[in-house]
Amino acid sequence: MLCPLLILLAAAPAVTAARYAGTRPNIVLILADDLGYGDLGVYGHPTIRTPNLDRMAREGMQLMQFYSASSLCSPSRAALMTGRLPVRFGMNAVLPPVTNRGLPPSELTLGEALQQAGYITSCIGKWHLGRKRRYLPLNQGFHRFFGLPYSNDMSRKNNPKHPIYRLRVVPPLPLMEGIYVIEQEPDQSQLTRRFTERALRFMRFAVEERKQPFFLYLAHIEPHPPLHPGERFRGRSPRGLYGDVVEELDWSVGEVLAEIRRLGIDEETLVVFTSDNGPWLAKKENGGSPGPFREGKGSTWEGGVRMPCIARWPGHIPAGVKSRAFVTMMDLLPTFAALAGVELPNDRVYDGADVSDVLFENAPGREPRIFLWVRHELRAYRRGPWKLHVITNFPANGTRKTTVQDPPLLFNVETDPGERFNVAAEHPDVVRRMLAEMEEHRAEVVRDRRGKRPGK
Ligand code: MG
C-alpha cells in the first residue's frame, strides 16, 4: 500500500496544474534569433553585458535544460507555435524567401489557442512560417503583425552577388504591417528599437483600452547575422558587433519589463525569454557561443538545440531558481493553453506537455526525452542522461556534409555535456534499446503523417 505522503507527492503536479489552470495571465514570449546558450551574462558569458536578463533570472527561473525542437529557424518556430514536432506536419526545413509553403492552417497555434480564451494577440518581429497571406500571422492566430515574414539575411541588399537575388527572383526584404508591405529593405539598425516600441504600445493598448489579457510574441531578428546594432549600441561591447546586438536585445527586455511594471501588471504577466536555435558558428566572431556544448546551429549536437530560457512571473514563479528540469519549446503551447483554460484538441499527437509544476513549484520535471529530426532524417535521440547520434554533421566548419554513424555514437550528456567521449562500446544495451525506441518513434510519426500533405 502507498503511504499517504507518496500519494500526495504523486498528485502534486496535477494539483499545481489545476491551481493555475484558467488563471489567464498576460503572456509575453520574447524570442531571440540564433542566440547561443553561452551568450548571456547569467549563463556565463565573460564579456557580453546583459543586466536586464540577469535581473529577470534573479526575479524568476533560469532553465538549464531547455531544448529547442530543431536547430534551424522555421522548424524551431513551427514547434514553438504548435507544441508538436515539425516533421509531423511537413515543416522540417528552413523556408526559403520565395516559397508557396508554410505552417499548415490546420495546426492550432499559440496565437489561436490564446485567442480562443479571449486574449488579444500580437506578433512583432520575425515570422518565418510562410510568406503567403494564408500563412502569415493574421491568419494564424494574431490580431496584429509588424515585422519581417522571414530572415533578415534574405535580402537583396545583403546578397548582391547571389544569383536568386541578382536575378530579382527574391523581392527586396519586406517590412510588413498586417498583410501589407510598408517598407522595402528597412534600415535593420532601427528594427530592435522599432519592434520594442511597438511591443510597449501594444501592451498599453491591451491593458488601458481593451482591458483584456494579451499575448505578445516578440520575435527579434537579432543576433542573426547580418548584425546591425542600433546607433546607441554600436561599438560599445567588448565582445564586438555580436556583443553590441545582444546588449541591445537586453535593453529591449529591460524596456518590456519596465513597461509591465509601469502598467501595474507585474503579478498578472508571465514573461518567457528564449532563442529559436543555437549559434551560427560558421559566421565566426559574428556568431554566438554554445557555452559548454558542442557545435551549434544546423546540427543535432547539444549546441544546436540547448537554449537559454528565463521565465518570470512575480508571486507565482519562485525567484532566483536555477532549474535542472527538462523542458522543451514544445511545452510552451500546452502550458500556456492550460493557463488560459483552453483544452487542446485530442485528434493529434502533442510532443510537448504542461510544465506548470516545474514553473510554479520548482518540480524536478519529467525524464528527458527528445527526438531530433533534420528534414526527414531522424538523426539523434536523447533519453535520460543518454544521447544517441545516428547521423552527424559539423556545420561550424561551413560544410554541409553529413556522416552516417554506424555504429552509432553514444554520450552521457550529464557527465559529458560537451559530447566529447563516445561510450557506445561500454553500453551496448543502451544503444540497442535507444535504436529500437527511435524505430518505434519513426513508425509512429509515419502513421501520424499518413494522408497529410506538407504545407496543406
Ligand atoms: Mg534562428
Side-chain angles (χ1 to χ4, degrees), residues 64-132:
M64 310 307 285
Q65 291 208 75
F66 185 83
Y67 279 77
S68 169
S70 164
S71 68
L72 295 166
C73 286
S74 303
S76 160
R77 286 153 200 263
L80 173 73
M81 273 296 138
T82 62
R84 287 155 43 78
L85 281 173
V87 68
R88 295 189 185 280
F89 47 92
M91 277 291 294
N92 217 32
V94 174
L95 293 176
V98 176
T99 175
N100 290 331
R101 297 186 48 214
L103 180 68
S106 54
E107 290 299 314
L108 177 78
T109 69
L110 271 176
E112 285 161 344
L114 294 169
Q115 276 185 346
Q116 279 180 25
Y119 280 60
I120 176 169
T121 58
S122 179
C123 170
I124 298 172
K126 169 173 162 179
W127 178 240
H128 215 175
L129 291 172
R131 56 148 201 159
K132 289 263 167 146

Coordinates of all heavy atoms in Angstrom, one line a residue, residues 64-132:
M64 N 18.0 25.3 -17.1 CA 19.4 24.9 -17.6 C 19.3 23.7 -18.6 O 20.3 23.4 -19.2 CB 20.2 24.4 -16.3 CG 20.2 25.4 -15.2 SD 20.7 27.1 -15.6 CE 22.5 26.8 -15.8
Q65 N 18.1 23.1 -18.7 CA 17.9 22.0 -19.7 C 16.7 22.3 -20.6 O 15.8 21.5 -20.6 CB 17.7 20.7 -19.0 CG 19.0 20.2 -18.2 CD 18.9 18.7 -18.2 OE1 19.2 18.0 -19.2 NE2 18.6 18.2 -17.0
F66 N 16.8 23.4 -21.3 CA 15.7 23.8 -22.1 C 16.1 23.5 -23.6 O 17.2 23.9 -24.0 CB 15.4 25.3 -22.0 CG 14.2 25.8 -22.7 CD1 12.9 25.6 -22.2 CD2 14.3 26.4 -24.0 CE1 11.8 26.0 -22.9 CE2 13.2 26.8 -24.7 CZ 11.9 26.6 -24.2
Y67 N 15.3 22.8 -24.3 CA 15.6 22.3 -25.7 C 14.7 23.0 -26.7 O 13.5 23.0 -26.5 CB 15.4 20.8 -25.8 CG 16.6 20.0 -25.3 CD1 16.7 19.8 -23.9 CD2 17.5 19.4 -26.1 CE1 17.8 19.1 -23.4 CE2 18.6 18.7 -25.6 CZ 18.7 18.5 -24.3 OH 19.8 17.8 -23.8
S68 N 15.3 23.4 -27.8 CA 14.5 23.7 -29.0 C 14.2 22.3 -29.7 O 14.9 21.3 -29.4 CB 15.4 24.6 -29.9 OG 14.8 24.7 -31.1
A69 N 13.2 22.3 -30.5 CA 12.9 21.1 -31.2 C 13.8 20.9 -32.5 O 13.8 19.8 -33.1 CB 11.4 21.0 -31.6
S70 N 14.5 21.9 -32.9 CA 15.3 21.9 -34.1 C 16.3 23.0 -34.0 O 16.1 24.0 -33.3 CB 14.4 22.2 -35.3 OG 15.2 22.5 -36.4
S71 N 17.4 22.8 -34.7 CA 18.5 23.8 -34.7 C 18.4 24.7 -35.9 O 19.4 25.4 -36.2 CB 19.8 23.1 -34.6 OG 20.1 22.5 -35.8
L72 N 17.2 24.8 -36.5 CA 17.0 25.7 -37.6 C 15.8 26.6 -37.4 O 14.8 26.1 -36.8 CB 16.9 24.9 -38.9 CG 18.2 24.2 -39.3 CD1 17.9 23.2 -40.4 CD2 19.3 25.1 -39.8
C73 N 15.8 27.8 -38.0 CA 14.7 28.8 -37.7 C 13.3 28.3 -37.9 O 12.5 28.2 -37.0 CB 14.9 30.0 -38.6 SG 16.2 31.0 -38.1
S74 N 12.9 27.9 -39.2 CA 11.5 27.6 -39.4 C 11.0 26.4 -38.6 O 9.9 26.5 -38.0 CB 11.2 27.4 -40.9 OG 11.6 28.6 -41.6
P75 N 11.7 25.3 -38.6 CA 11.2 24.2 -37.9 C 11.1 24.5 -36.4 O 10.1 24.1 -35.7 CB 12.2 23.1 -38.1 CG 13.0 23.5 -39.3 CD 12.9 25.0 -39.4
S76 N 12.1 25.2 -35.8 CA 12.0 25.5 -34.4 C 10.8 26.4 -34.1 O 10.1 26.1 -33.1 CB 13.3 26.3 -34.1 OG 13.2 27.0 -32.9
R77 N 10.5 27.4 -34.9 CA 9.4 28.2 -34.7 C 8.1 27.5 -34.9 O 7.1 27.8 -34.3 CB 9.5 29.5 -35.6 CG 10.5 30.4 -35.2 CD 11.1 31.3 -36.3 NE 12.4 31.8 -35.9 CZ 12.6 33.0 -35.4 NH1 11.6 33.8 -35.3 NH2 13.8 33.4 -35.0
A78 N 8.1 26.5 -35.9 CA 6.9 25.7 -36.1 C 6.5 24.9 -34.8 O 5.4 24.8 -34.4 CB 7.1 24.8 -37.3
A79 N 7.6 24.4 -34.2 CA 7.4 23.6 -33.0 C 6.9 24.5 -31.8 O 6.1 24.1 -31.0 CB 8.7 22.9 -32.6
L80 N 7.5 25.7 -31.8 CA 7.2 26.6 -30.7 C 5.7 27.0 -30.8 O 5.0 27.1 -29.8 CB 8.0 27.9 -30.9 CG 7.7 29.1 -30.0 CD1 8.1 28.8 -28.6 CD2 8.4 30.3 -30.5
M81 N 5.3 27.2 -32.1 CA 3.9 27.7 -32.3 C 2.8 26.6 -32.1 O 1.7 26.9 -31.8 CB 3.7 28.2 -33.8 CG 4.1 29.6 -34.0 SD 3.0 30.7 -33.1 CE 4.1 31.9 -32.4
T82 N 3.2 25.3 -32.2 CA 2.2 24.2 -32.2 C 2.4 23.2 -31.1 O 1.4 22.4 -30.9 CB 2.4 23.4 -33.6 OG1 3.7 22.8 -33.6 CG2 2.2 24.3 -34.8
G83 N 3.5 23.2 -30.4 CA 3.7 22.1 -29.4 C 4.0 20.8 -30.0 O 3.9 19.8 -29.2
R84 N 4.3 20.7 -31.3 CA 4.5 19.4 -31.9 C 5.8 19.4 -32.7 O 6.2 20.4 -33.2 CB 3.3 19.2 -32.9 CG 2.0 18.9 -32.2 CD 0.8 19.2 -33.0 NE 0.7 18.9 -34.4 CZ 0.4 17.7 -34.9 NH1 0.3 16.6 -34.1 NH2 0.3 17.5 -36.2
L85 N 6.3 18.2 -32.9 CA 7.5 18.1 -33.8 C 7.1 18.5 -35.2 O 6.1 18.0 -35.8 CB 8.0 16.6 -33.8 CG 8.8 16.2 -32.6 CD1 9.1 14.6 -32.7 CD2 10.1 16.9 -32.5
P86 N 7.9 19.4 -35.8 CA 7.5 19.9 -37.1 C 7.5 18.9 -38.2 O 6.8 19.0 -39.2 CB 8.6 21.0 -37.4 CG 9.6 20.8 -36.3 CD 9.1 20.1 -35.2
V87 N 8.2 17.7 -38.0 CA 8.2 16.7 -39.0 C 6.8 16.1 -39.2 O 6.4 15.6 -40.2 CB 9.2 15.6 -38.7 CG1 8.8 14.8 -37.5 CG2 9.4 14.6 -39.9
R88 N 5.9 16.3 -38.2 CA 4.6 15.7 -38.2 C 3.7 16.5 -39.2 O 2.7 15.9 -39.7 CB 3.9 15.9 -36.8 CG 4.5 15.0 -35.8 CD 3.7 15.0 -34.5 NE 4.4 14.3 -33.4 CZ 4.4 13.0 -33.3 NH1 3.8 12.2 -34.2 NH2 5.0 12.4 -32.3
F89 N 4.1 17.7 -39.6 CA 3.2 18.5 -40.5 C 4.1 19.2 -41.6 O 3.7 20.2 -42.1 CB 2.3 19.5 -39.7 CG 3.1 20.3 -38.7 CD1 3.6 21.5 -39.0 CD2 3.2 19.9 -37.4 CE1 4.2 22.3 -38.1 CE2 3.9 20.6 -36.4 CZ 4.4 21.9 -36.8
G90 N 5.2 18.5 -41.9 CA 5.9 18.9 -43.1 C 6.6 20.3 -43.0 O 6.8 20.9 -44.0
M91 N 7.0 20.7 -41.8 CA 7.7 22.0 -41.7 C 9.1 21.8 -41.2 O 9.6 22.5 -40.3 CB 6.9 22.8 -40.7 CG 5.8 23.6 -41.3 SD 6.3 24.9 -42.4 CE 7.1 26.0 -41.3
N92 N 9.8 20.7 -41.7 CA 11.0 20.4 -41.1 C 12.3 20.9 -41.8 O 13.4 20.3 -41.7 CB 11.1 18.8 -40.9 CG 11.8 18.5 -39.6 OD1 11.7 19.2 -38.7 ND2 12.5 17.4 -39.6
A93 N 12.1 22.0 -42.6 CA 13.3 22.6 -43.2 C 13.1 24.1 -43.2 O 12.0 24.6 -43.0 CB 13.4 22.1 -44.6
V94 N 14.2 24.8 -43.4 CA 14.1 26.3 -43.4 C 13.4 26.7 -44.7 O 13.7 26.2 -45.7 CB 15.5 26.9 -43.4 CG1 15.4 28.4 -43.5 CG2 16.2 26.6 -42.1
L95 N 12.4 27.6 -44.5 CA 11.6 28.1 -45.7 C 12.5 29.1 -46.4 O 13.0 30.0 -45.8 CB 10.3 28.7 -45.3 CG 9.3 27.8 -44.7 CD1 8.0 28.6 -44.2 CD2 8.9 26.7 -45.7
P96 N 12.7 29.0 -47.7 CA 13.4 30.0 -48.5 C 12.5 31.2 -48.6 O 11.3 31.2 -48.4 CB 13.6 29.3 -49.8 CG 12.6 28.3 -50.0 CD 12.2 27.8 -48.6
P97 N 13.1 32.4 -49.0 CA 12.2 33.6 -49.1 C 11.1 33.5 -50.1 O 10.1 34.1 -50.0 CB 13.2 34.7 -49.5 CG 14.4 34.0 -50.0 CD 14.5 32.6 -49.3
V98 N 11.3 32.7 -51.2 CA 10.2 32.5 -52.2 C 9.8 31.1 -52.1 O 10.5 30.1 -52.4 CB 10.7 32.8 -53.6 CG1 9.6 32.5 -54.6 CG2 11.1 34.3 -53.7
T99 N 8.6 30.9 -51.6 CA 8.0 29.6 -51.4 C 6.5 29.7 -51.3 O 6.0 30.7 -50.8 CB 8.6 28.9 -50.1 OG1 7.9 27.6 -50.0 CG2 8.3 29.7 -48.9
N100 N 5.8 28.6 -51.7 CA 4.4 28.6 -51.6 C 4.0 27.8 -50.3 O 2.8 27.6 -50.1 CB 3.7 27.9 -52.8 CG 3.9 28.8 -54.0 OD1 3.9 30.0 -53.8 ND2 4.0 28.2 -55.2
R101 N 5.0 27.4 -49.5 CA 4.7 26.6 -48.4 C 4.6 27.4 -47.1 O 5.0 28.6 -47.1 CB 5.7 25.4 -48.2 CG 5.7 24.5 -49.4 CD 6.6 23.3 -49.2 NE 6.4 22.8 -47.9 CZ 7.4 22.2 -47.2 NH1 8.6 22.2 -47.7 NH2 7.2 21.7 -46.0
G102 N 4.1 26.8 -46.0 CA 4.1 27.5 -44.8 C 3.5 26.6 -43.7 O 3.1 25.4 -43.9
L103 N 3.3 27.1 -42.5 CA 2.7 26.4 -41.4 C 1.3 26.1 -41.7 O 0.5 27.0 -42.0 CB 2.7 27.3 -40.1 CG 2.2 26.7 -38.8 CD1 3.1 25.5 -38.4 CD2 2.1 27.7 -37.7
P104 N 0.9 24.8 -41.8 CA -0.4 24.4 -42.2 C -1.5 25.1 -41.4 O -1.4 25.0 -40.1 CB -0.5 22.9 -42.1 CG 1.0 22.5 -42.1 CD 1.7 23.6 -41.5
P105 N -2.5 25.7 -42.0 CA -3.6 26.3 -41.2 C -4.3 25.3 -40.3 O -5.0 25.7 -39.4 CB -4.5 26.9 -42.3 CG -3.6 27.1 -43.5 CD -2.6 26.0 -43.4
S106 N -4.2 24.0 -40.6 CA -4.9 23.0 -39.8 C -4.2 22.9 -38.4 O -4.8 22.3 -37.5 CB -4.9 21.7 -40.5 OG -3.5 21.3 -40.8
E107 N -3.0 23.4 -38.2 CA -2.4 23.4 -36.9 C -3.0 24.4 -36.0 O -3.3 25.5 -36.4 CB -0.8 23.6 -37.1 CG -0.1 22.5 -37.7 CD -0.2 21.2 -37.0 OE1 0.0 21.2 -35.8 OE2 -0.4 20.2 -37.6
L108 N -3.1 24.1 -34.7 CA -3.5 25.1 -33.7 C -2.3 25.8 -33.2 O -1.4 25.2 -32.6 CB -4.2 24.3 -32.5 CG -4.6 25.3 -31.4 CD1 -5.9 26.0 -31.8 CD2 -4.8 24.5 -30.1
T109 N -2.2 27.1 -33.4 CA -1.0 27.8 -33.0 C -1.2 28.4 -31.6 O -2.4 28.5 -31.1 CB -0.7 29.0 -33.9 OG1 -1.8 30.0 -33.8 CG2 -0.6 28.6 -35.4
L110 N -0.1 28.9 -31.0 CA -0.2 29.6 -29.7 C -1.2 30.7 -29.8 O -2.0 30.9 -28.9 CB 1.2 30.2 -29.4 CG 2.2 29.3 -28.6 CD1 3.5 30.1 -28.5 CD2 1.7 29.0 -27.2
G111 N -1.1 31.5 -30.9 CA -2.0 32.7 -31.0 C -3.5 32.2 -31.0 O -4.3 32.8 -30.4
E112 N -3.7 31.1 -31.8 CA -5.1 30.7 -31.9 C -5.6 30.1 -30.6 O -6.8 30.4 -30.2 CB -5.2 29.6 -33.0 CG -5.1 30.2 -34.4 CD -4.8 29.2 -35.5 OE1 -4.3 28.1 -35.1 OE2 -4.9 29.5 -36.7
A113 N -4.8 29.4 -29.9 CA -5.2 28.8 -28.6 C -5.6 30.0 -27.6 O -6.6 29.9 -26.9 CB -4.1 28.0 -28.0
L114 N -4.7 31.0 -27.6 CA -5.0 32.1 -26.7 C -6.1 33.0 -27.1 O -6.9 33.5 -26.3 CB -3.7 32.9 -26.4 CG -2.6 32.0 -25.7 CD1 -1.2 32.7 -25.7 CD2 -3.0 31.7 -24.3
Q115 N -6.3 33.1 -28.4 CA -7.5 33.9 -28.9 C -8.8 33.2 -28.5 O -9.7 33.9 -28.1 CB -7.5 33.9 -30.4 CG -6.6 35.1 -31.0 CD -6.7 35.2 -32.5 OE1 -7.2 34.3 -33.2 NE2 -6.2 36.3 -33.0
Q116 N -8.7 31.9 -28.5 CA -9.9 31.1 -28.0 C -10.3 31.5 -26.6 O -11.5 31.4 -26.2 CB -9.7 29.6 -28.0 CG -9.8 29.0 -29.4 CD -9.5 27.5 -29.3 OE1 -9.7 26.8 -28.3 NE2 -9.1 26.9 -30.4
A117 N -9.3 31.9 -25.8 CA -9.5 32.2 -24.4 C -9.8 33.7 -24.2 O -9.8 34.2 -23.1 CB -8.4 31.7 -23.5
G118 N -9.9 34.4 -25.3 CA -10.3 35.8 -25.2 C -9.1 36.8 -25.1 O -9.2 37.9 -24.7
Y119 N -7.9 36.2 -25.5 CA -6.7 37.1 -25.5 C -6.7 38.0 -26.7 O -7.1 37.6 -27.8 CB -5.4 36.2 -25.5 CG -5.0 35.7 -24.2 CD1 -5.8 34.8 -23.4 CD2 -3.8 36.0 -23.6 CE1 -5.4 34.3 -22.2 CE2 -3.3 35.4 -22.4 CZ -4.2 34.6 -21.7 OH -3.8 34.1 -20.5
I120 N -6.1 39.2 -26.6 CA -5.7 39.9 -27.7 C -4.2 39.6 -28.0 O -3.4 39.5 -27.1 CB -6.0 41.5 -27.5 CG1 -5.5 42.2 -28.8 CG2 -5.3 42.0 -26.3 CD1 -5.9 43.7 -28.7
T121 N -3.9 39.3 -29.3 CA -2.6 38.8 -29.6 C -1.8 39.6 -30.6 O -2.4 40.2 -31.6 CB -2.8 37.3 -30.2 OG1 -3.6 37.4 -31.4 CG2 -3.5 36.4 -29.2
S122 N -0.5 39.7 -30.5 CA 0.3 40.4 -31.4 C 1.6 39.7 -31.7 O 2.2 39.2 -30.7 CB 0.6 41.8 -30.8 OG 1.4 42.6 -31.7
C123 N 2.0 39.6 -32.9 CA 3.2 39.1 -33.3 C 4.1 40.2 -33.9 O 3.7 40.9 -34.8 CB 3.0 38.0 -34.4 SG 4.5 37.5 -35.2
I124 N 5.2 40.4 -33.2 CA 6.1 41.5 -33.6 C 7.5 40.9 -33.9 O 8.0 40.2 -33.0 CB 6.2 42.6 -32.5 CG1 4.8 43.3 -32.3 CG2 7.2 43.7 -32.9 CD1 4.8 44.2 -31.1
G125 N 8.1 41.2 -35.1 CA 9.4 40.7 -35.4 C 9.4 39.7 -36.5 O 8.6 39.9 -37.5
K126 N 10.2 38.7 -36.4 CA 10.4 37.7 -37.5 C 9.4 36.6 -37.4 O 9.2 35.9 -36.3 CB 11.8 37.2 -37.4 CG 12.1 36.0 -38.3 CD 13.6 35.7 -38.2 CE 13.8 34.2 -38.7 NZ 15.3 33.9 -38.7
W127 N 8.7 36.2 -38.5 CA 7.7 35.2 -38.5 C 8.4 33.9 -39.0 O 8.6 32.9 -38.3 CB 6.5 35.6 -39.4 CG 5.5 34.6 -39.6 CD1 5.0 34.1 -40.7 CD2 4.6 34.0 -38.5 NE1 4.0 33.2 -40.5 CE2 3.7 33.2 -39.2 CE3 4.6 34.2 -37.1 CZ2 2.8 32.4 -38.5 CZ3 3.6 33.4 -36.4 CH2 2.7 32.6 -37.1
H128 N 8.7 33.8 -40.3 CA 9.4 32.7 -41.0 C 8.6 31.4 -40.9 O 9.2 30.3 -40.8 CB 10.8 32.5 -40.4 CG 11.8 32.1 -41.5 ND1 13.1 31.9 -41.3 CD2 11.5 31.7 -42.8 CE1 13.7 31.5 -42.4 NE2 12.7 31.4 -43.3
L129 N 7.3 31.5 -41.1 CA 6.5 30.3 -41.1 C 5.6 30.4 -42.4 O 4.4 29.9 -42.4 CB 5.6 30.1 -39.8 CG 6.5 29.8 -38.6 CD1 5.6 29.9 -37.3 CD2 7.1 28.4 -38.8
G130 N 6.1 31.0 -43.4 CA 5.3 31.1 -44.7 C 5.0 32.6 -45.0 O 4.6 33.3 -44.1
R131 N 5.3 33.0 -46.3 CA 5.2 34.4 -46.6 C 3.8 34.7 -47.3 O 3.4 35.8 -47.5 CB 6.3 34.8 -47.5 CG 6.4 33.9 -48.7 CD 6.9 34.6 -50.0 NE 6.5 33.8 -51.1 CZ 6.4 34.3 -52.3 NH1 6.7 35.5 -52.6 NH2 5.9 33.5 -53.3
K132 N 3.1 33.6 -47.8 CA 1.8 33.8 -48.4 C 0.8 34.2 -47.4 O 0.9 33.9 -46.2 CB 1.4 32.5 -49.1 CG 2.2 32.1 -50.3 CD 1.5 32.6 -51.6 CE 2.4 32.5 -52.7 NZ 1.8 32.1 -54.0

